[in-house]
Amino acid sequence: MAKQLDYHTIREIFTRFQAREPEPRGELEHVNAYTLVVAVALSAQATDAGVNRATRALFQIADTPQKMLDLGEERLIEHIKTIGLFRNKAKNVMKLSKILVEEYDGIVPNSRAALQSLPGVGRKTANVVLNMWWHYPAQAVDTHIFRVGNRSGICPGKDVDAVERAIEDNVPVDFQQHAHHWLILHGRYHCKARKPLCGTCLIRDLCQFEDKTL
């Protein structure tokens, strides 16, 4: 684990991220808050691209909790069977849809606690939804962010909660809204797990990763 970088270095890193991608966006396709919740819940241990392939047709016919309930679990499974853990995820989607209809009038709540009370929705999923739909500067720490944060020293931590706190505590507030998207994209396309592209990395001179590749 790298040491925590200082304020000026972190500001320079995010200044570069912002210059490269001023308005980064999540790659999960959705049409409203409900379909975003479903897409993020389906994305656990799956790629965004794989989820998008499965949900394009699904969201055309089931873009509200009630429509999903009307569709039924078996027909939902037919749409998402290419996604890992699809049976368990289908059960959770049906359960959370029922709760949204019965307890929230079909409207997705915008508090972290309410979101986390839904089946299949953990803190990371709740943070993604709060950030992407309501533009709240919540930090959804995934494997990419955990790796980048610890390699670089931007936001080191022993677990995802510690990394989340490190982002909130150390990233300047004007970068908080897009911080997790910049870090995810950097980890997905540049600071890869097995073969990081250090030779062309935007922040190579600022990163503390000791095993930089050529």
Side-chain angles (χ1 to χ4, degrees), residues 2-103:
K3 293 182 179 179
Q4 175 68 59
L5 293 172
D6 63 69
Y7 170 84
H8 297 290
T9 302
I10 292 175
R11 171 162 283 283
E12 174 60 24
I13 286 172
F14 281 93
T15 297
R16 294 182 190 183
F17 284 159
Q18 185 179 57
R20 180 173 63 188
E21 186 76 33
E23 293 289 333
R25 304 203 179 274
E27 297 181 330
L28 284 173
E29 297 173 5
H30 58 283
V31 297
N32 53 30
Y34 171 71
T35 55
L36 178 58
V37 170
V38 172
V40 180
L42 293 176
S43 71
Q45 299 181 48
T47 65
D48 288 359
V51 172
N52 290 339
R53 284 193 296 270
T55 58
R56 284 181 190 127
L58 173 65
F59 291 159
Q60 290 180 8
I61 59 175
D63 60 355
T64 70
Q66 187 59 58
K67 288 180 182 177
M68 190 67 76
L69 293 175
D70 294 341
L71 182 69
E73 187 173 324
E74 290 307 312
R75 290 177 64 194
L76 169 59
I77 286 174
E78 285 301 308
H79 283 276
I80 67 170
K81 61 186 179 181
T82 56
I83 300 174
L85 307 175
F86 65 89
R87 291 192 183 279
N88 187 56
K89 289 177 180 179
K91 291 183 184 300
N92 283 334
V93 169
M94 300 310 292
K95 288 177 182 178
L96 72 84
S97 298
K98 189 172 187 290
I99 291 172
L100 288 174
V101 168
E102 294 180 350
E103 299 183 19

Side-chain angles (χ1 to χ4, degrees), residues 112 116 121-128 139-140 161 164 168:
R112 185 183 286 116
Q116 285 188 244
V121 177
R123 186 177 180 88
K124 187 187 83 169
T125 298
N127 282 347
V128 170
Q139 307 302 333
D161 290 336
E164 182 180 333
E168 294 173 344

Side-chain angles (χ1 to χ4, degrees), residues 100-169:
L100 288 174
V101 168
E102 294 180 350
E103 299 183 19
Y104 296 97
D105 297 321
I107 299 171
V108 176
N110 62 353
S111 83
R112 185 183 286 116
L115 286 167
Q116 285 188 244
S117 73
L118 299 174
V121 177
R123 186 177 180 88
K124 187 187 83 169
T125 298
N127 282 347
V128 170
V129 175
L130 291 172
N131 185 288
M132 288 181 63
W133 191 256
W134 283 287
H135 308 297
Y136 177 77
Q139 307 302 333
V141 178
D142 69 352
T143 56
H144 297 302
I145 293 180
F146 188 81
R147 179 174 66 255
V148 172
N150 278 292
R151 277 180 176 175
S152 66
I154 296 171
C155 46
K158 294 182 179 179
D159 54 41
V160 293
D161 290 336
V163 171
E164 182 180 333
R165 288 193 299 272
I167 297 173
E168 294 173 344
D169 291 347

